[in-house]
Amino acid sequence: MTPSTLPGYLSPFLTPERSPRQAAVEWFRAARYGLFIHYGLYSLLGRHEWVQYRERIPVDEYARLADRFTAERFDANVIAQLAVDGGMRYVNLTTRHHDSFCLWDTKTTDFNSVRAPGCGRDLVAELAAACDQRGLGLCLYLSHGRDWRHPHAPNNERFAQSALPAYDPPDPTFATGDQYDLNRYLDYLTEQVRELMTGYGPVAAIWLDGIATPLSPRGEDGELIPDYDPRTHGDPFRCQQLYDLVHELQPQTLVSYKQGYLGTEDFFAPEHKAYNRFGESFEHRPGEVCTTMTPGSWGYHAELENQHLSADDVWARLADAAAHHCNLLLNTGPRPDGSLQPSEAEVIRTVGRRLEREGFPTG
Ligand code: GLC
């Protein structure tokens, strides 16, 4: 990307001495606070985003949810405006969660929101436009270590027991034994990243999830490799190539992989508390702690609706993130129809008003 196509929000951070990525790091630190949106087929069931895995819903049965997916009240402008009103500077959307359903017009699979007969929309494109209009950063969550549909996705033969649902009998669509080829999954994943990086304008961050899987490969004997470290054991997931591709396609895009996989990520993005795998200071490299308004569920959970964090709880999370020199990425899971949970949105707005009055807590 030439400097003229860099996102406008980076302008105050660009200096002759800084590369676009260094400017993006400074922007990210200054941004402090972002909105995380978990939305997908699992939202329709309202029983946690891991419902397919937990209830061992067969792949073909789960896929039928796509016929009921309409996203009729998923309004990217409402979501982006909530971020603005909440005092946030970026939005992160689950473009493809572990269930494999994609929210953009991908050529890698028909299992996507555009092909869903009742939807026919590219939700990533809609959010990209809404963020662009408001000067918000667009961050794209993508499941990396898990995909409960792709035949060559990490499985339980080669990785820890949590990579695929424990189907009994095994689901026939997944390759096993000699038929299994992780590279076919990685090629698909790489192509998805390429699509996201080339079709939606400036991307603030590619946010990879599912680190437990690549960190738990099994050896020839089928046993988990103790103390596995991709930096010394080698990385069958080709992660550095993926990071390099992101940076090649857009030099300012930041890459994260949760608490850090190779240690070459641009920022660390652990869950719930500030830590990284390398014990590095967040003053040295940025961190972002993600947490969710509904404790225990990132995706919409019908039984837990209204049991969310209060404005004071969110404030305490902001203070805690600040104390650790980290950003806060606060999640809300839209309802089945894509609308925001009203009382969670109201808490986010209340915190936004307090931020406007008082500024960020110092921690
Ligand atoms: C975990 C969960 C996932 C959630 C994510 C958010 O990795 O697997 O459901 O999306 O955390 O950080």
Side-chain angles (χ1 to χ4, degrees):
M1 257 196 188
T2 58
S4 62
T5 55
L6 291 172
Y9 57 78
L10 277 192
S11 304
F13 301 91
L14 283 166
T15 64
E17 299 76 41
R18 282 184 188 145
S19 67
R21 189 134 51 103
Q22 286 165 333
V25 165
E26 294 311 314
W27 165 80
F28 185 72
R29 283 190 193 279
R32 306 284 297 262
Y33 190 25
L35 181 64
F36 206 178
I37 299 287
H38 271 66
Y39 185 55
L41 293 186
Y42 47 82
S43 313
L44 303 189
L45 297 178
R47 298 195 297 272
H48 195 275
E49 76 282 358
W50 276 56
V51 61
Q52 179 186 358
Y53 177 96
R54 291 183 171 182
E55 300 181 13
R56 300 182 201 176
I57 302 174
V59 176
D60 56 353
E61 183 184 327
Y62 190 86
R64 288 201 286 278
L65 286 172
D67 297 335
R68 285 168 40 199
F69 185 79
T70 62
E72 59 189 297
R73 294 188 62 208
F74 179 96
D75 186 334
N77 284 307
V78 170
I79 291 171
Q81 193 55 42
L82 176 67
V84 171
D85 296 345
M88 298 156 161
R89 296 290 162 80
Y90 54 94
V91 181
N92 188 345
L93 175 68
T94 49
T95 62
R96 188 200 97 220
H97 204 264
H98 309 329
D99 67 358
S100 196
F101 186 69
C102 300
L103 299 185
W104 78 98
D105 189 8
T106 177
K107 294 192 174 54
T108 62
T109 171
D110 285 347
F111 199 47
N112 66 61
S113 59
V114 179
R115 296 293 180 98
C119 182
R121 284 158 51 203
D122 183 326
L123 304 187
V124 175
E126 292 176 14
L127 186 66
C131 285
D132 185 52
Q133 276 169 21
R134 292 167 179 80
L136 294 166
L138 175 73
C139 302
L140 303 177
Y141 166 110
L142 187 70
S143 178
H144 172 276
R146 295 190 175 90
D147 187 305
W148 299 329
R149 182 179 174 83
H150 192 284
H152 297 276
N155 62 25
N156 301 340
E157 280 182 355
R158 293 278 305 278
F159 301 91
Q161 213 55 43
S162 64
L164 285 182
Y167 294 122
D168 184 18
D171 193 287
T173 56
F174 290 106
T176 54
D178 292 347
Q179 302 299 308
Y180 177 76
D181 183 0
L182 177 65
N183 281 313
R184 290 179 59 182
Y185 169 69
L186 296 176
D187 291 345
Y188 146 95
L189 179 78
T190 303
E191 195 46 37
Q192 294 198 333
V193 169
R194 188 189 299 280
E195 289 179 349
L196 291 170
M197 291 297 301
T198 52
Y200 299 91
V203 174
I206 290 288
W207 203 101
L208 302 171
D209 184 31
I211 193 169
T213 307
L215 283 181
S216 59
R218 297 177 187 278
E220 299 281 296
D221 56 2
E223 295 299 319
L224 293 177
I225 300 173
D227 301 321
Y228 174 78
D229 186 337
R231 294 172 304 170
T232 49
H233 288 83
D235 173 24
F237 277 84
R238 313 187 323 224
C239 270
Q240 192 58 51
Q241 273 170 260
L242 192 65
Y243 302 170
D244 292 345
L245 174 72
V246 170
H247 293 142
E248 181 192 313
L249 293 172
Q250 293 194 31
Q252 87 293 352
T253 303
L254 305 177
V255 178
S256 69
Y257 200 165
K258 302 303 286 271
Q259 62 269 33
Y261 176 64
L262 293 175
T264 54
E265 295 79 19
D266 297 306
F267 66 95
F268 296 119
E271 274 174 42
H272 306 306
K273 57 184 193 332
Y275 71 101
N276 61 67
R277 243 166 44 79
F278 311 101
E280 249 184 53
S281 152
F282 292 110
E283 284 171 280
H284 172 64
R285 194 189 316 221
E288 176 204 62
V289 177
C290 56
T291 201
T292 182
M293 289 289 297
T294 305
S297 195
W298 301 84
Y300 177 66
H301 203 301
E303 278 181 3
L304 301 177
E305 183 154 356
N306 296 322
Q307 295 182 34
H308 49 74
L309 303 184
S310 67
D312 285 346
D313 294 333
V314 173
W315 195 262
R317 301 282 197 291
L318 278 170
D320 190 59
H324 292 92
H325 307 280
C326 287
N327 291 8
L328 182 70
L329 179 63
L330 184 66
N331 179 75
T332 184
R335 287 165 160 173
D337 63 4
S339 59
L340 293 166
Q341 297 183 51
S343 63
E344 294 200 354
E346 198 39 48
V347 168
I348 291 170
R349 287 190 202 98
T350 302
V351 173
R353 289 191 288 272
R354 184 166 174 192
L355 283 170
E356 191 144 312
R357 288 195 307 273
E358 301 177 27
F360 276 93
T362 47

